[in-house]
Amino acid sequence: ALSAGAVRAQGDVYVIESSVPSIKVGTSFGAADKISVPSGAYLRAVLPSGKTHTIKGPYQGTVADLAGGQARNEGVIAWLRALMQTGGATEGTSGATRSMRRSNAPAVPVPFSWTAVPVTSDGDLCVQRGATLQLTRSSTARAEQVTVVDAVSKAQGHAAWAAGQDATPWPAAVPARHDGVYLLVIPDRARRQIKLHMLDRVPAEADILTVLQALNCKAQFQTWVRERMAAKR
Protein backbone atom coordinates (compact mmCIF):
# COMPACT_ATOMS: atom_id res chain seq x y z
CA ALA A 1 0.00 0.00 0.00
CA LEU A 2 3.03 2.27 0.29
CA SER A 3 6.49 2.06 -1.17
CA ALA A 4 8.42 2.95 2.00
CA GLY A 5 6.36 0.55 4.09
CA ALA A 6 7.17 2.00 7.52
CA VAL A 7 5.01 4.02 9.88
CA ARG A 8 7.10 7.11 10.64
CA ALA A 9 6.99 9.54 13.52
CA GLN A 10 7.59 12.34 11.03
CA GLY A 11 6.16 12.75 7.59
CA ASP A 12 4.31 14.95 5.15
CA VAL A 13 0.88 13.30 5.17
CA TYR A 14 -0.90 11.79 8.19
CA VAL A 15 -3.76 9.29 7.91
CA ILE A 16 -6.63 10.05 10.29
CA GLU A 17 -9.23 7.66 8.79
CA SER A 18 -8.71 4.48 6.81
CA SER A 19 -10.76 1.60 5.47
CA VAL A 20 -7.65 0.16 3.76
CA PRO A 21 -6.61 -2.89 5.83
CA SER A 22 -2.91 -2.41 5.14
CA ILE A 23 -2.84 1.29 6.10
CA LYS A 24 -3.45 1.98 9.76
CA VAL A 25 -4.81 5.18 11.25
CA GLY A 26 -1.82 7.24 12.41
CA THR A 27 0.42 6.20 9.51
CA SER A 28 2.54 8.99 8.06
CA PHE A 29 3.99 9.17 4.55
CA GLY A 30 7.00 10.97 3.14
CA ALA A 31 6.86 13.07 0.00
CA ALA A 32 8.20 10.29 -2.27
CA ASP A 33 5.97 7.52 -0.91
CA LYS A 34 3.36 5.95 -3.17
CA ILE A 35 -0.17 5.46 -1.88
CA SER A 36 -2.50 2.79 -3.23
CA VAL A 37 -6.19 2.73 -2.31
CA PRO A 38 -8.22 -0.18 -3.75
CA SER A 39 -11.68 0.18 -5.21
CA GLY A 40 -14.36 0.60 -2.55
CA ALA A 41 -11.88 1.78 0.12
CA TYR A 42 -10.82 5.24 1.21
CA LEU A 43 -8.32 7.20 3.24
CA ARG A 44 -8.71 10.52 4.94
CA ALA A 45 -5.43 12.33 5.41
CA VAL A 46 -4.00 15.65 6.53
CA LEU A 47 -1.88 17.10 3.72
CA PRO A 48 1.28 19.19 4.19
CA SER A 49 -0.86 22.30 3.68
CA GLY A 50 -2.83 21.40 6.82
CA LYS A 51 -5.97 20.72 4.81
CA THR A 52 -7.75 17.37 5.11
CA HIS A 53 -8.42 15.35 1.99
CA THR A 54 -10.39 12.15 1.35
CA ILE A 55 -8.83 9.72 -1.15
CA LYS A 56 -11.33 7.26 -2.62
CA GLY A 57 -10.25 4.13 -4.42
CA PRO A 58 -9.21 3.13 -6.89
CA TYR A 59 -6.25 5.47 -6.49
CA GLN A 60 -2.51 5.23 -7.00
CA GLY A 61 -0.13 8.15 -6.65
CA THR A 62 2.56 9.79 -4.58
CA VAL A 63 2.28 12.14 -1.63
CA ALA A 64 3.74 14.85 -3.86
CA ASP A 65 0.81 14.33 -6.25
CA LEU A 66 -1.66 14.85 -3.39
CA ALA A 67 0.18 17.88 -2.02
CA GLY A 68 -0.18 19.62 -5.37
CA GLY A 69 2.59 22.11 -4.67
CA GLN A 70 0.66 23.87 -1.89
CA ALA A 71 2.62 25.71 0.79
CA ARG A 72 3.47 23.63 3.86
CA ASN A 73 1.72 24.57 7.10
CA GLU A 74 4.39 23.91 9.71
CA GLY A 75 2.06 24.80 12.60
CA VAL A 76 -0.56 22.19 11.75
CA ILE A 77 2.05 19.52 11.00
CA ALA A 78 3.86 20.17 14.30
CA TRP A 79 0.63 19.89 16.32
CA LEU A 80 -0.40 16.77 14.44
CA ARG A 81 3.00 15.12 14.87
CA ALA A 82 2.94 15.78 18.63
CA LEU A 83 -0.56 14.34 18.87
CA MET A 84 0.42 11.19 17.02
CA GLN A 85 3.47 10.71 19.24
CA THR A 86 1.89 11.44 22.63
CA GLY A 87 -1.84 11.09 22.12
CA GLY A 88 -2.21 14.77 23.01
CA ALA A 89 -2.33 14.15 26.77
CA THR A 90 -0.92 16.89 28.96
CA GLU A 91 -0.54 17.19 32.70
CA GLY A 92 -2.90 20.14 32.76
CA THR A 93 -5.76 18.57 30.84
CA SER A 94 -5.56 15.10 32.37
CA GLY A 95 -5.19 16.43 35.89
CA ALA A 96 -8.06 18.84 35.38
CA THR A 97 -10.33 16.03 34.27
CA ARG A 98 -9.47 13.94 37.30
CA SER A 99 -10.06 16.84 39.69
CA MET A 100 -13.53 17.46 38.30
CA ARG A 101 -14.74 13.96 39.19
CA ARG A 102 -15.95 12.88 42.60
CA SER A 103 -16.18 9.17 41.81
CA ASN A 104 -14.17 6.36 40.27
CA ALA A 105 -16.12 6.59 37.03
CA PRO A 106 -13.95 7.15 33.94
CA ALA A 107 -13.81 10.65 32.49
CA VAL A 108 -16.15 11.22 29.57
CA PRO A 109 -14.41 13.08 26.71
CA VAL A 110 -16.13 16.30 25.68
CA PRO A 111 -17.13 15.93 22.00
CA PHE A 112 -15.86 18.42 19.45
CA SER A 113 -18.10 21.46 19.28
CA TRP A 114 -18.19 25.06 18.07
CA THR A 115 -20.42 26.01 21.01
CA ALA A 116 -19.05 24.08 24.02
CA VAL A 117 -16.81 25.80 26.57
CA PRO A 118 -15.12 23.15 28.77
CA VAL A 119 -14.43 24.31 32.33
CA THR A 120 -11.77 21.66 32.96
CA SER A 121 -8.79 23.34 31.28
CA ASP A 122 -7.24 26.67 30.30
CA GLY A 123 -6.63 27.93 26.79
CA ASP A 124 -8.08 29.38 23.60
CA LEU A 125 -11.44 28.27 22.23
CA CYS A 126 -12.96 28.83 18.79
CA VAL A 127 -16.73 29.30 18.94
CA GLN A 128 -19.44 30.28 16.50
CA ARG A 129 -20.50 33.91 16.76
CA GLY A 130 -24.16 34.30 17.74
CA ALA A 131 -24.55 30.69 18.89
CA THR A 132 -25.75 29.74 22.37
CA LEU A 133 -22.64 28.72 24.28
CA GLN A 134 -22.67 25.85 26.76
CA LEU A 135 -20.34 25.44 29.75
CA THR A 136 -19.42 21.76 29.84
CA ARG A 137 -17.81 19.45 32.39
CA SER A 138 -17.33 15.73 32.87
CA SER A 139 -20.71 14.65 34.20
CA THR A 140 -20.63 13.90 37.93
CA ALA A 141 -23.02 12.92 40.67
CA ARG A 142 -22.68 16.37 42.25
CA ALA A 143 -24.55 19.60 41.62
CA GLU A 144 -22.03 22.41 41.08
CA GLN A 145 -21.93 26.13 40.33
CA VAL A 146 -19.48 28.12 38.24
CA THR A 147 -18.83 31.86 38.25
CA VAL A 148 -17.77 33.36 34.92
CA VAL A 149 -15.76 36.61 35.23
CA ASP A 150 -14.81 38.89 32.33
CA ALA A 151 -11.12 39.61 32.97
CA VAL A 152 -11.43 43.13 31.52
CA SER A 153 -14.86 44.46 32.51
CA LYS A 154 -15.04 42.35 35.69
CA ALA A 155 -18.67 41.51 34.87
CA GLN A 156 -19.74 38.32 36.64
CA GLY A 157 -22.39 35.73 36.00
CA HIS A 158 -23.31 32.39 37.49
CA ALA A 159 -24.33 29.07 36.01
CA ALA A 160 -25.05 25.71 37.60
CA TRP A 161 -25.14 22.01 36.77
CA ALA A 162 -27.63 19.66 38.36
CA ALA A 163 -26.36 16.29 39.54
CA GLY A 164 -25.45 14.19 36.50
CA GLN A 165 -25.68 17.16 34.12
CA ASP A 166 -22.69 17.93 31.90
CA ALA A 167 -23.76 21.17 30.15
CA THR A 168 -25.35 24.44 31.19
CA PRO A 169 -25.87 27.73 29.28
CA TRP A 170 -23.25 30.50 29.41
CA PRO A 171 -24.57 33.17 31.84
CA ALA A 172 -26.39 36.03 30.12
CA ALA A 173 -24.91 38.56 32.59
CA VAL A 174 -21.47 38.14 30.98
CA PRO A 175 -21.47 38.88 27.22
CA ALA A 176 -19.30 36.48 25.23
CA ARG A 177 -17.11 38.68 23.03
CA HIS A 178 -14.43 38.17 20.40
CA ASP A 179 -10.97 37.74 21.96
CA GLY A 180 -12.56 38.05 25.38
CA VAL A 181 -10.65 36.55 28.32
CA TYR A 182 -12.67 34.93 31.08
CA LEU A 183 -12.03 33.33 34.44
CA LEU A 184 -14.00 30.22 35.38
CA VAL A 185 -14.30 29.78 39.14
CA ILE A 186 -15.79 26.64 40.71
CA PRO A 187 -15.67 26.10 44.48
CA ASP A 188 -12.88 23.70 45.51
CA ARG A 189 -11.54 23.56 41.95
CA ALA A 190 -8.56 25.12 40.22
CA ARG A 191 -9.47 28.46 38.63
CA ARG A 192 -9.37 28.35 34.83
CA GLN A 193 -8.73 31.07 32.24
CA ILE A 194 -10.00 30.90 28.68
CA LYS A 195 -9.95 33.13 25.61
CA LEU A 196 -12.81 33.05 23.12
CA HIS A 197 -12.32 33.51 19.37
CA MET A 198 -15.62 34.25 17.63
CA LEU A 199 -15.95 32.81 14.12
CA ASP A 200 -18.40 34.51 11.77
CA ARG A 201 -18.88 31.18 10.02
CA VAL A 202 -17.84 27.61 10.67
CA PRO A 203 -14.93 26.69 8.36
CA ALA A 204 -15.31 24.11 5.63
CA GLU A 205 -14.41 20.58 6.70
CA ALA A 206 -11.10 20.63 4.82
CA ASP A 207 -10.02 23.85 6.55
CA ILE A 208 -10.94 23.05 10.17
CA LEU A 209 -7.41 22.18 11.32
CA THR A 210 -5.79 25.21 9.70
CA VAL A 211 -8.31 27.56 11.33
CA LEU A 212 -8.01 25.96 14.77
CA GLN A 213 -4.21 26.04 14.65
CA ALA A 214 -4.05 29.63 13.42
CA LEU A 215 -6.19 30.74 16.38
CA ASN A 216 -4.33 28.53 18.90
CA CYS A 217 -7.43 26.44 19.69
CA LYS A 218 -5.31 23.39 20.50
CA ALA A 219 -7.75 21.37 22.63
CA GLN A 220 -10.38 21.48 19.87
CA PHE A 221 -7.73 20.58 17.28
CA GLN A 222 -6.80 17.49 19.28
CA THR A 223 -10.41 16.50 19.92
CA TRP A 224 -11.36 16.79 16.24
CA VAL A 225 -8.42 14.63 15.14
CA ARG A 226 -9.05 12.02 17.86
CA GLU A 227 -12.69 11.70 16.81
CA ARG A 228 -11.73 11.14 13.18
CA MET A 229 -9.11 8.57 14.17
CA ALA A 230 -11.61 6.68 16.32
CA ALA A 231 -14.11 6.48 13.45
CA LYS A 232 -12.05 4.05 11.35
CA ARG A 233 -9.17 1.88 12.58
Side-chain angles (χ1 to χ4, degrees):
L2 63 156
S3 60
V7 176
R8 280 187 284 264
Q10 299 186 14
D12 294 287
V13 165
Y14 288 83
V15 177
I16 58 174
E17 291 183 43
S18 174
S19 66
V20 181
S22 59
I23 303 179
K24 296 180 179 179
V25 166
T27 298
S28 68
F29 296 94
D33 289 339
K34 295 180 180 179
I35 299 176
S36 178
V37 181
S39 180
Y42 80 98
L43 294 178
R44 193 175 193 185
V46 181
L47 302 181
S49 64
K51 292 178 177 290
T52 58
H53 180 67
T54 299
I55 308 160
K56 297 181 179 180
Y59 174 84
Q60 286 193 356
T62 66
V63 166
D65 294 334
L66 292 173
Q70 295 184 30
R72 184 180 177 88
N73 189 318
E74 296 292 351
V76 170
I77 296 303
W79 278 17
L80 194 60
R81 181 181 300 138
L83 181 61
M84 296 296 181
Q85 291 174 335
T86 68
T90 65
E91 184 177 349
T93 55
S94 60
T97 300
R98 286 195 299 270
S99 69
M100 283 297 294
R101 290 181 286 128
R102 292 282 187 164
S103 71
N104 293 324
V108 178
V110 176
F112 179 84
S113 173
W114 296 110
T115 59
V117 179
V119 300
T120 52
S121 60
D122 306 279
D124 295 61
L125 292 167
C126 293
V127 296
Q128 186 175 3
R129 188 187 300 275
T132 300
L133 302 184
Q134 297 286 319
L135 295 163
T136 61
R137 64 170 185 168
S138 294
S139 184
T140 74
R142 289 174 56 88
E144 291 186 301
Q145 180 171 292
V146 58
T147 300
V148 179
V149 183
D150 188 309
V152 175
S153 72
K154 307 305 180 184
Q156 296 188 15
H158 304 283
W161 300 275
Q165 186 181 20
D166 59 8
T168 190
W170 179 278
V174 185
R177 55 187 177 80
H178 180 60
D179 287 346
V181 177
Y182 303 89
L183 304 179
L184 307 175
V185 184
I186 301 174
D188 301 323
R189 312 295 187 193
R191 185 179 72 174
R192 300 297 177 183
Q193 179 173 299
I194 61 169
K195 183 176 182 179
L196 298 181
H197 300 281
M198 299 290 186
L199 303 180
D200 290 329
R201 61 182 63 85
V202 172
E205 188 90 349
D207 299 321
I208 286 177
L209 295 185
T210 59
V211 170
L212 293 176
Q213 196 280 328
L215 294 173
N216 201 40
C217 297
K218 193 168 189 176
Q220 287 166 292
F221 181 103
Q222 294 175 340
T223 297
W224 192 88
V225 173
R226 287 197 196 100
E227 288 180 356
R228 304 289 83 69
M229 292 176 68
K232 285 287 185 179
R233 290 190 177 276

